[in-house]
Amino acid sequence: MIVAVGVVAAVVLVAVRGNGSPSDKKSPSASSGSTKGSPSPSLSIPSGLPSITPSLPSQVPSDLGSLFPSPAGDQVPYYSLQSGDCFDTDDKRPGQATKRSCGKPHDAEVVKVAEIEGSYTTDAALKKAASALCKKPLERKAAKQPSGTVRGTLVQYPDSTGYKIGIDNVACSLSGDVGAGDHKLTKPLT
């Protein structure tokens, strides 16, 4: 890097001192009419400069998700759920969801996936923003369900650390009794 800066400075200096014609260059023994001789610096650029181009791995993954281990079985991070996905939750694995068939008992179904936009630095601020994104879509969808089908909502959002690294998806879901396990959804939402 230092060598590259030196080379650029040398090239700029040569360009500023003249156009490179023989009349602009004087040898150390040449006189400019004065009795004192002043040596001119040699501004030759060495031909064997080291490469400053960083070497990259030959195989850079196009999907950064491939750098992380795959979840076991049907488990996925909540932020990779899509609208219409049915899933179970596990208090021991926060942020994870186990995908299930919507025709079999399951804890919740994703109604909408939204993206948080803006600048948030605390978990409380992210929770408030995520809840605001989900409120109307969940209310509309819940109103269309048969009585007793839906017993709650589930809003999954990134914590402040996840948001800082680019996780901005919010999963807005309707649920049975998440955590209690008494009541599950047994078919897709209408």
Side-chain angles (χ1 to χ4, degrees):
M1 181 78 155
I2 292 172
V3 172
V5 171
V7 169
V8 170
V11 170
V12 170
L13 187 56
V14 168
V16 170
R17 293 191 100 218
N19 64 10
S21 66
S23 63
D24 288 341
K25 296 181 184 177
K26 295 181 182 176
S27 68
S29 62
S31 171
S32 64
S34 70
T35 56
K36 294 182 184 177
S38 59
S40 297
S42 170
L43 297 176
S44 64
I45 300 173
S47 61
L49 290 177
S51 171
I52 59 171
T53 306
S55 61
L56 297 174
S58 60
Q59 296 282 335
V60 176
S62 61
D63 176 21
L64 292 179
S66 67
L67 298 175
F68 301 102
S70 298
D74 294 333
Q75 287 187 356
V76 296
Y78 85 86
Y79 53 82
S80 57
L81 292 170
Q82 301 296 314
S83 294
D85 284 349
C86 295
F87 63 95
D88 284 339
T89 61
D90 183 350
D91 290 339
K92 296 174 190 164
R93 298 186 56 86
Q96 296 290 315
T98 305
K99 287 178 121 180
R100 298 287 183 234
S101 166
C102 292
K104 304 219 175 190
H106 55 278
D107 291 334
E109 181 178 331
V110 179
V111 171
K112 179 180 180 174
V113 175
E115 288 184 10
I116 294 180
E117 294 179 1
S119 179
Y120 302 96
T121 56
T122 66
D123 292 343
L126 284 163
K127 179 179 181 178
K128 184 176 179 180
S131 295
L133 283 172
C134 292
K135 183 178 180 180
K136 290 197 184 287
L138 291 177
E139 286 175 351
R140 279 192 300 267
K141 190 72 166 184
K144 296 177 183 178
Q145 304 311 306
S147 179
T149 304
V150 174
R151 296 196 178 171
T153 61
L154 181 60
V155 176
Q156 296 169 295
Y157 57 96
D159 63 10
S160 56
T161 303
Y163 189 65
K164 285 177 189 173
I165 63 168
I167 299 172
D168 58 2
N169 280 1
V170 175
C172 310
S173 305
L174 291 176
S175 66
D177 289 334
V178 174
D182 299 20
H183 179 76
K184 294 203 175 241
L185 301 176
T186 56
K187 60 184 179 178
L189 299 172
T190 58

